[in-house]
Amino acid sequence: MNFQELKSIIEGLLFLAGEEGLSLKQLAEVTEQRQELVADALEDMKSSFERAGRGLQIVQIAGNYQLATLPEHVPYFERLAYSPSRSSLSQAALEALSIIAYRQPITRVEIEEIRGVKSERAIHTLVNKDLIEEVGRADAIGRPILYGTTKAFLDYFGLASLDDLPDLADFESPEQLEEETQLLFQKLEEQQLTFDDVDGEEGAGSKENF
């Protein structure tokens, strides 16, 4: 493996790891390279990103390296997050939100195991819309982020508290995650449609677009 190939692999790994990032030790183990060489590759990548004027940067947070956007681009990200065309939640986001609501605190990996697909983008959307937040770190390898719902989640779906979530006792087999997810997914989807209809009739109503 040459140096350029190593950098390419590291970039892909950091992309897949998302906001949880990867430590120098993890990157070295996965690439089967010396930590010193991986560290040199990371530094070279940082410099090349800056020189090329890329929209991403490599940062180190709590000992882990991750790909991140540039602070000066925040206004554009806010426009995207709050644009009218993106005010409603996608099916993927609703599914992830359903799982988090029932199983919080929960990690991204656990969410993906339940959904069977990558969920980083859905989680990112929910965080941007202030519907979920980081509530801690799991006691596991890499200390992955634990997610939970916010007060804005309750407000958005008209819930007084988490106790107002659909009762799992309505199911014959409540231990099945797929059934739990589908139940809340249907409720949240119906609730969102109701809000969207009200907004359409009243124009700029009191409901805030997340």
Side-chain angles (χ1 to χ4, degrees):
M1 180 188 303
N2 59 41
F3 196 61
Q4 181 58 43
E5 184 180 3
L6 174 61
K7 291 191 295 180
S8 178
I9 292 172
I10 290 175
E11 184 174 354
L13 290 172
L14 294 180
F15 175 79
L16 288 176
E19 60 185 13
E20 294 177 8
L22 293 169
S23 67
L24 184 62
K25 181 180 180 181
Q26 288 173 312
L27 287 168
E29 289 177 348
V30 173
T31 59
E32 298 182 329
Q33 301 295 321
R34 292 180 294 105
Q35 290 191 29
E36 294 79 7
L37 182 60
V38 173
D40 289 342
L42 286 165
E43 289 302 317
D44 189 77
M45 291 169 67
K46 287 182 182 179
S47 299
S48 64
F49 276 30
E50 293 175 3
R51 290 195 303 270
R54 297 276 296 275
L56 296 173
Q57 61 178 331
I58 295 177
V59 298
Q60 186 177 14
I61 299 177
N64 282 2
Y65 291 90
Q66 60 180 260
L67 288 175
T69 53
L70 303 180
E72 56 266 34
H73 294 168
V74 168
Y76 300 98
F77 305 145
E78 290 177 343
R79 292 179 195 174
L80 176 63
Y82 295 103
S83 64
S85 62
R86 293 178 60 87
S87 61
S88 296
L89 294 174
S90 66
Q91 178 173 328
L94 279 171
E95 289 176 353
L97 183 58
S98 302
I99 295 169
I100 294 169
Y102 271 120
R103 289 291 165 175
Q104 58 187 303
I106 187 171
T107 66
R108 175 174 62 85
V109 172
E110 291 172 328
I111 295 169
E112 291 175 345
E113 287 177 350
I114 295 170
R115 294 191 63 222
V117 295
K118 289 290 184 181
S119 301
E120 182 179 355
R121 181 170 297 180
I123 291 173
H124 184 67
T125 296
L126 295 173
V127 170
N128 282 343
K129 292 179 182 295
D130 195 30
L131 295 175
I132 63 171
E133 63 184 352
E134 179 180 338
V135 296
R137 293 273 179 169
D139 187 16
I141 298 176
R143 302 283 292 171
I145 295 172
L146 288 168
Y147 293 99
T149 55
T150 64
K151 182 181 181 299
F153 162 78
L154 300 176
D155 295 339
Y156 188 74
F157 291 105
L159 303 173
S161 70
L162 292 177
D163 293 334
D164 291 335
L165 290 173
D167 189 356
L168 296 184
D170 292 340
F171 278 102
E172 294 180 0
S173 302
E175 72 276 7
Q176 296 183 9
L177 292 175
E178 292 80 3
E179 293 181 344
E180 297 172 6
T181 302
Q182 187 60 30
L183 176 61
L184 182 57
F185 171 72
Q186 290 173 354
K187 177 178 176 62
L188 299 188
E189 189 176 42
E190 291 169 0
Q191 190 72 25
Q192 179 173 264
L193 288 174
T194 299
F195 282 142
D196 290 344
D197 289 341
V198 171
D199 284 349
E201 293 174 0
E202 298 180 358
S206 59
K207 171 178 169 288
E208 182 180 357
N209 287 331
F210 287 96

PDB file of all heavy atoms in Angstrom, residues 167-176 179-180 183:
ATOM      1  N   ASP A 167     -48.630   2.736  23.199  1.00  0.00           N
ATOM      2  CA  ASP A 167     -48.384   1.701  24.198  1.00  0.00           C
ATOM      3  C   ASP A 167     -47.966   0.402  23.519  1.00  0.00           C
ATOM      4  O   ASP A 167     -48.699  -0.153  22.705  1.00  0.00           O
ATOM      5  CB  ASP A 167     -49.648   1.478  25.026  1.00  0.00           C
ATOM      6  CG  ASP A 167     -49.403   0.575  26.226  1.00  0.00           C
ATOM      7  OD1 ASP A 167     -48.266   0.071  26.354  1.00  0.00           O
ATOM      8  OD2 ASP A 167     -50.339   0.391  27.022  1.00  0.00           O
ATOM      9  N   LEU A 168     -46.806  -0.092  23.878  1.00  0.00           N
ATOM     10  CA  LEU A 168     -46.321  -1.332  23.277  1.00  0.00           C
ATOM     11  C   LEU A 168     -47.163  -2.535  23.705  1.00  0.00           C
ATOM     12  O   LEU A 168     -47.080  -3.591  23.092  1.00  0.00           O
ATOM     13  CB  LEU A 168     -44.857  -1.572  23.678  1.00  0.00           C
ATOM     14  CG  LEU A 168     -43.861  -0.526  23.178  1.00  0.00           C
ATOM     15  CD1 LEU A 168     -42.452  -0.940  23.552  1.00  0.00           C
ATOM     16  CD2 LEU A 168     -43.970  -0.348  21.679  1.00  0.00           C
ATOM     17  N   ALA A 169     -47.961  -2.368  24.739  1.00  0.00           N
ATOM     18  CA  ALA A 169     -48.823  -3.470  25.185  1.00  0.00           C
ATOM     19  C   ALA A 169     -49.894  -3.782  24.143  1.00  0.00           C
ATOM     20  O   ALA A 169     -50.549  -4.824  24.204  1.00  0.00           O
ATOM     21  CB  ALA A 169     -49.485  -3.110  26.511  1.00  0.00           C
ATOM     22  N   ASP A 170     -50.085  -2.871  23.186  1.00  0.00           N
ATOM     23  CA  ASP A 170     -51.068  -3.110  22.132  1.00  0.00           C
ATOM     24  C   ASP A 170     -50.620  -4.221  21.192  1.00  0.00           C
ATOM     25  O   ASP A 170     -51.411  -4.729  20.401  1.00  0.00           O
ATOM     26  CB  ASP A 170     -51.297  -1.828  21.309  1.00  0.00           C
ATOM     27  CG  ASP A 170     -51.984  -0.755  22.142  1.00  0.00           C
ATOM     28  OD1 ASP A 170     -52.600  -1.117  23.166  1.00  0.00           O
ATOM     29  OD2 ASP A 170     -51.900   0.424  21.772  1.00  0.00           O
ATOM     30  N   PHE A 171     -49.349  -4.595  21.292  1.00  0.00           N
ATOM     31  CA  PHE A 171     -48.824  -5.628  20.412  1.00  0.00           C
ATOM     32  C   PHE A 171     -48.759  -6.968  21.127  1.00  0.00           C
ATOM     33  O   PHE A 171     -48.507  -7.044  22.327  1.00  0.00           O
ATOM     34  CB  PHE A 171     -47.406  -5.261  19.945  1.00  0.00           C
ATOM     35  CG  PHE A 171     -47.412  -4.304  18.786  1.00  0.00           C
ATOM     36  CD1 PHE A 171     -47.155  -2.957  18.995  1.00  0.00           C
ATOM     37  CD2 PHE A 171     -47.691  -4.744  17.508  1.00  0.00           C
ATOM     38  CE1 PHE A 171     -47.156  -2.081  17.935  1.00  0.00           C
ATOM     39  CE2 PHE A 171     -47.695  -3.868  16.444  1.00  0.00           C
ATOM     40  CZ  PHE A 171     -47.435  -2.536  16.658  1.00  0.00           C
ATOM     41  N   GLU A 172     -48.986  -8.026  20.386  1.00  0.00           N
ATOM     42  CA  GLU A 172     -48.893  -9.363  20.959  1.00  0.00           C
ATOM     43  C   GLU A 172     -47.447  -9.700  21.304  1.00  0.00           C
ATOM     44  O   GLU A 172     -47.176 -10.434  22.249  1.00  0.00           O
ATOM     45  CB  GLU A 172     -49.434 -10.402  19.961  1.00  0.00           C
ATOM     46  CG  GLU A 172     -50.932 -10.261  19.683  1.00  0.00           C
ATOM     47  CD  GLU A 172     -51.396 -11.313  18.697  1.00  0.00           C
ATOM     48  OE1 GLU A 172     -50.554 -12.116  18.257  1.00  0.00           O
ATOM     49  OE2 GLU A 172     -52.600 -11.338  18.388  1.00  0.00           O
ATOM     50  N   SER A 173     -46.513  -9.184  20.521  1.00  0.00           N
ATOM     51  CA  SER A 173     -45.093  -9.458  20.765  1.00  0.00           C
ATOM     52  C   SER A 173     -44.332  -8.141  20.858  1.00  0.00           C
ATOM     53  O   SER A 173     -43.614  -7.750  19.933  1.00  0.00           O
ATOM     54  CB  SER A 173     -44.499 -10.321  19.634  1.00  0.00           C
ATOM     55  OG  SER A 173     -45.201 -11.527  19.509  1.00  0.00           O
ATOM     56  N   PRO A 174     -44.481  -7.408  21.935  1.00  0.00           N
ATOM     57  CA  PRO A 174     -43.857  -6.096  22.065  1.00  0.00           C
ATOM     58  C   PRO A 174     -42.350  -6.129  22.111  1.00  0.00           C
ATOM     59  O   PRO A 174     -41.699  -5.093  21.984  1.00  0.00           O
ATOM     60  CB  PRO A 174     -44.431  -5.582  23.399  1.00  0.00           C
ATOM     61  CG  PRO A 174     -44.749  -6.822  24.174  1.00  0.00           C
ATOM     62  CD  PRO A 174     -45.227  -7.792  23.139  1.00  0.00           C
ATOM     63  N   GLU A 175     -41.771  -7.321  22.283  1.00  0.00           N
ATOM     64  CA  GLU A 175     -40.322  -7.383  22.332  1.00  0.00           C
ATOM     65  C   GLU A 175     -39.690  -7.242  20.952  1.00  0.00           C
ATOM     66  O   GLU A 175     -38.484  -7.049  20.835  1.00  0.00           O
ATOM     67  CB  GLU A 175     -39.865  -8.702  22.965  1.00  0.00           C
ATOM     68  CG  GLU A 175     -40.075  -9.936  22.088  1.00  0.00           C
ATOM     69  CD  GLU A 175     -41.498 -10.494  22.193  1.00  0.00           C
ATOM     70  OE1 GLU A 175     -42.333  -9.831  22.840  1.00  0.00           O
ATOM     71  OE2 GLU A 175     -41.766 -11.563  21.628  1.00  0.00           O
ATOM     72  N   GLN A 176     -40.491  -7.317  19.927  1.00  0.00           N
ATOM     73  CA  GLN A 176     -39.958  -7.238  18.576  1.00  0.00           C
ATOM     74  C   GLN A 176     -39.759  -5.787  18.184  1.00  0.00           C
ATOM     75  O   GLN A 176     -40.711  -5.011  18.113  1.00  0.00           O
ATOM     76  CB  GLN A 176     -40.893  -7.926  17.580  1.00  0.00           C
ATOM     77  CG  GLN A 176     -41.024  -9.433  17.820  1.00  0.00           C
ATOM     78  CD  GLN A 176     -41.892 -10.088  16.776  1.00  0.00           C
ATOM     79  OE1 GLN A 176     -42.258  -9.463  15.793  1.00  0.00           O
ATOM     80  NE2 GLN A 176     -42.217 -11.347  16.992  1.00  0.00           N
ATOM     81  N   GLU A 179     -41.801  -4.202  15.232  1.00  0.00           N
ATOM     82  CA  GLU A 179     -43.180  -3.818  15.510  1.00  0.00           C
ATOM     83  C   GLU A 179     -43.227  -2.497  16.268  1.00  0.00           C
ATOM     84  O   GLU A 179     -44.068  -1.637  16.007  1.00  0.00           O
ATOM     85  CB  GLU A 179     -43.874  -4.920  16.302  1.00  0.00           C
ATOM     86  CG  GLU A 179     -44.061  -6.209  15.510  1.00  0.00           C
ATOM     87  CD  GLU A 179     -44.783  -7.279  16.316  1.00  0.00           C
ATOM     88  OE1 GLU A 179     -44.857  -7.118  17.540  1.00  0.00           O
ATOM     89  OE2 GLU A 179     -45.266  -8.246  15.713  1.00  0.00           O
ATOM     90  N   GLU A 180     -42.316  -2.330  17.208  1.00  0.00           N
ATOM     91  CA  GLU A 180     -42.255  -1.083  17.958  1.00  0.00           C
ATOM     92  C   GLU A 180     -42.006   0.086  17.000  1.00  0.00           C
ATOM     93  O   GLU A 180     -42.668   1.128  17.070  1.00  0.00           O
ATOM     94  CB  GLU A 180     -41.125  -1.146  18.981  1.00  0.00           C
ATOM     95  CG  GLU A 180     -41.296  -2.216  20.027  1.00  0.00           C
ATOM     96  CD  GLU A 180     -40.054  -2.350  20.896  1.00  0.00           C
ATOM     97  OE1 GLU A 180     -39.135  -1.527  20.727  1.00  0.00           O
ATOM     98  OE2 GLU A 180     -40.001  -3.258  21.732  1.00  0.00           O
ATOM     99  N   LEU A 183     -45.020   0.916  14.747  1.00  0.00           N
ATOM    100  CA  LEU A 183     -46.111   1.563  15.476  1.00  0.00           C
ATOM    101  C   LEU A 183     -45.878   3.057  15.616  1.00  0.00           C
ATOM    102  O   LEU A 183     -46.738   3.871  15.273  1.00  0.00           O
ATOM    103  CB  LEU A 183     -46.253   0.921  16.865  1.00  0.00           C
ATOM    104  CG  LEU A 183     -47.287   1.544  17.800  1.00  0.00           C
ATOM    105  CD1 LEU A 183     -48.683   1.447  17.197  1.00  0.00           C
ATOM    106  CD2 LEU A 183     -47.262   0.874  19.163  1.00  0.00           C
TER     107      LEU A 183
END
